[in-house]
Amino acid sequence: MADQYDVIVLGSGPGGYVAAIRCAQLGLKTAIVERENLGGICLNWGCIPTKALLRSAEIFHYMQHAGDYGLKAKGIEADLEAVVKRSRGVAKQLNQGVTHLMKKNKITVHMGEGTLTGPTSLTVKGEKGEEKLTAKHVIVATGARARDLPFAPADGKRVWTYRTAMTPPEMPKKLLVIGSGAIGIEFASFYNDMGADVTVVEMLDRIVPVEDKDVSTFLEKSLTKQGMTIMTGAGVEDIKADAKGVKAKIKAKDGKVSEQEFTHCIVAIGIVPNTENIGLEKLAEMDRGFIQIDPYGRTKSKGLWAIGDCTPGPWLAHKASHEGVTAAEAIAQELGNKDVHPHGLDRNNIPGCTYCHPQVASVGMTEAKAKEAGYEVKVGNFPFIGNGKAIALGEAEGFIKTVFDAKTGELLGAHMIGAEVTELIQGYTVGKQLETTEAELMQTVFPHPTLSEMMHESVLGAYGRALHI
């Protein structure tokens, strides 16, 4: 006899476990299936442990520049093993937290490999053998994994993906990072701060290519100033790895090919959805392996839903969590709950953050995208050097840029680079969700002295009213 539930969630990452919690909150009998660690990649091998690593690198950077703050520090050294141990401890704490949340919300956890046998049924192969589960609804939240280079698959020794880069067998002396999206740039920033000689190779014409062009240009100058080598419009044509290191043939922007030697290489060229061999072939419409869904997470099969990195992007943990709540509430509504009112996901209001040094954050359209969409725009740009708090912090590098519809005053996008901008971006995200215009933002009182005052000044600047520049 198969175990029966209202909802089964396949995958326990930030999309899956949040969906399960919301289902349980709404009174639905809920189960979750996980093949490895509760919390998924994000909590165990992604978002959180990388931030622990980057925090250690940030502290190390400040210690090396203690003199800038009137302090003296001698004999400063980085202990990579201890840094990694701290990061793994953070991941373990959060994994235990998710385990507690499952118990608190009376969610049944099935550990093992889940395979769909129909839109609302699956088998789980684990330590207990094979279990059969059925439900009224199933949410697929199987996430994604790092994409390998076809000619140089990761070996965990010299050629790494993010997973090895978080628990490195040794400190790289000369590191090649292929790809300059958030993952590539964060690891490049971490290892550069820790003392490695870092080269970043990006196929497109600028780093962090999804960001506003002004942000990309500023970040490249900053990272170059910090000692990195940045190669844009370039490609890695071949890699040979052995016990001594990595030899890479790199085609530069001018078409010239050179062979360069590195001790290690991190491949960060995108993701592959975990959707093969789980029974989806006839149940869902697929595009390049990603499950196609409506704004609420529905697939083409009644009762089958999908969220997170196994669906179209952006591939971000907070997007997955939001989709999880939306799908849970839509399911509850279908099952007769009249007190929930789910709203379909608006991808224009999803913020993105990159935790390099300096940090990068954005929401909405870039200036170029807004113009491509036919908007006449007003653009504000305020530098960190004009902000008292930034100067006091010794963090006067960066700017905040805002893009408005010149006709209606609608905030179309906001783009930031500098200290703690990943904490500031949510102000603009809330503004976009509330469909704010420049008038409301101008009339808002921002506390002094704070970095957030630059958000106000950028809005004022779009209309020729900036006060401190």
Side-chain angles (χ1 to χ4, degrees):
M1 184 72 178
D3 289 349
Q4 296 183 337
Y5 298 94
D6 292 320
V7 181
I8 299 170
V9 182
L10 181 57
S12 73
Y17 87 76
V18 167
I21 289 172
R22 187 63 184 129
C23 285
Q25 287 176 341
L26 292 167
L28 304 178
K29 184 181 179 183
T30 306
I32 196 162
V33 177
E34 173 55 53
R35 68 182 180 184
E36 190 174 2
N37 302 113
L38 288 174
I41 293 297
C42 177
L43 266 67
N44 294 283
W45 294 101
C47 319
I48 303 301
T50 55
K51 302 310 157 292
L53 293 176
L54 286 160
R55 178 60 170 166
S56 293
E58 181 182 37
I59 297 297
F60 186 48
H61 172 82
Y62 284 133
M63 291 171 71
Q64 291 174 309
H65 294 82
D68 296 344
Y69 299 88
L71 305 173
K72 292 181 180 180
K74 295 181 180 179
I76 301 163
E77 294 181 3
D79 183 342
L80 183 61
E81 185 178 349
V83 168
V84 171
K85 183 178 179 181
R86 175 180 179 271
S87 171
R88 301 316 306 155
V90 170
K92 182 179 179 181
Q93 181 178 345
L94 289 166
N95 168 263
Q96 292 171 341
V98 175
T99 301
H100 166 73
L101 289 171
M102 296 300 100
K103 291 179 180 178
K104 176 186 175 184
N105 289 281
K106 297 180 174 58
I107 297 163
T108 303
V109 177
H110 295 269
M111 296 301 295
E113 193 90 24
T115 304
L116 294 164
T117 54
T120 56
S121 61
L122 64 154
T123 60
V124 181
K125 292 182 180 179
E127 292 182 359
K128 299 178 181 178
E130 184 172 292
E131 299 177 275
K132 294 182 179 180
L133 310 179
T134 63
K136 296 172 184 175
H137 295 267
V138 169
I139 301 173
V140 178
T142 48
R145 62 188 183 277
R147 183 183 297 278
D148 269 326
L149 281 172
F151 51 83
D155 60 14
K157 297 176 182 177
R158 296 292 175 180
V159 181
W160 301 347
T161 62
Y162 62 84
R163 196 148 176 163
T164 306
M166 270 188 287
T167 55
E170 65 232 350
M171 176 67 190
K173 293 181 180 178
K174 192 173 183 183
L175 176 66
L176 171 63
V177 178
I178 305 174
S180 74
I183 293 173
I185 285 296
E186 286 183 4
F187 278 117
S189 187
F190 169 72
Y191 281 109
N192 185 69
D193 277 347
M194 295 294 285
D197 178 359
V198 177
T199 295
V200 177
V201 174
E202 170 56 53
M203 179 179 66
L204 299 179
D205 62 352
R206 56 192 177 91
I207 60 172
V208 288
V210 300
E211 301 295 342
D212 189 271
K213 188 175 182 179
D214 290 346
V215 170
S216 296
T217 300
F218 193 100
L219 181 60
E220 181 173 343
K221 289 180 179 177
S222 177
L223 297 180
T224 301
K225 186 178 178 182
Q226 294 174 43
M228 283 192 212
T229 299
I230 307 290
M231 300 178 68
T232 55
V236 177
E237 298 194 332
D238 189 40
I239 285 180
K240 293 287 188 293
D242 58 28
K244 295 180 180 179
V246 175
K247 291 182 179 179
K249 287 185 179 179
I250 302 174
K251 187 176 183 179
K253 189 181 297 185
D254 60 8
K256 293 181 180 179
V257 178
S258 63
E259 185 173 84
Q260 300 185 35
E261 295 186 5
F262 302 89
T263 60
H264 301 82
C265 169
I266 295 176
V267 178
I269 56 171
I271 62 168
V272 179
N274 296 322
T275 54
E276 62 270 75
N277 304 317
I278 59 171
L280 280 169
E281 290 75 13
K282 297 180 180 179
L283 300 177
E285 181 184 344
M286 311 294 285
D287 181 11
R288 294 172 298 152
F290 295 99
I291 305 168
Q292 302 303 292
I293 56 173
D294 75 1
Y296 298 87
R298 297 183 182 90
T299 70
K300 73 173 186 179
S301 296
K302 184 172 177 58
L304 183 64
W305 307 67
I307 60 173
D309 286 0
C310 62
T311 68
W315 299 292
L316 301 166
H318 43 280
K319 176 253 194 185
S321 296
H322 189 88
E323 285 179 319
V325 171
T326 299
E329 293 182 352
I331 287 169
Q333 191 177 59
E334 287 194 11
L335 293 176
N337 189 324
K338 296 180 181 179
D339 296 324
V340 291
H341 307 283
H343 296 273
L345 179 68
D346 183 350
R347 284 178 162 76
N348 287 320
N349 291 345
I350 301 171
C353 298
T354 304
Y355 299 83
C356 48
H357 180 78
Q359 293 180 7
V360 172
S362 62
V363 65
M365 292 183 180
T366 64
E367 180 181 357
K369 289 290 185 184
K371 289 177 178 177
E372 285 176 19
Y375 288 99
E376 179 185 343
V377 300
K378 285 185 176 292
V379 177
N381 194 318
F382 192 84
F384 270 54
I385 193 66
N387 177 263
K389 179 68 177 291
I391 295 170
L393 290 174
E395 297 284 1
E397 180 185 54
F399 64 84
I400 293 179
K401 178 177 180 177
T402 45
V403 182
F404 291 90
D405 180 349
K407 294 181 180 178
T408 66
E410 178 189 357
L411 176 63
L412 299 175
H415 311 276
M416 310 175 172
I417 182 167
E420 300 304 326
V421 295
T422 57
E423 298 293 337
L424 297 178
I425 194 62
Q426 193 59 20
Y428 286 134
T429 304
V430 171
K432 278 185 58 59
Q433 185 67 28
L434 297 176
E435 299 180 350
T436 190
T437 67
E438 92 290 352
E440 287 87 7
L441 290 168
M442 285 182 179
Q443 293 302 317
T444 300
V445 178
F446 287 75
H448 174 79
T450 63
L451 298 176
S452 70
E453 291 174 278
M454 291 182 288
M455 298 170 65
H456 193 213
E457 290 277 13
S458 181
V459 175
L460 293 171
Y463 290 83
R465 292 174 51 183
L467 298 169
H468 290 93
I469 189 172

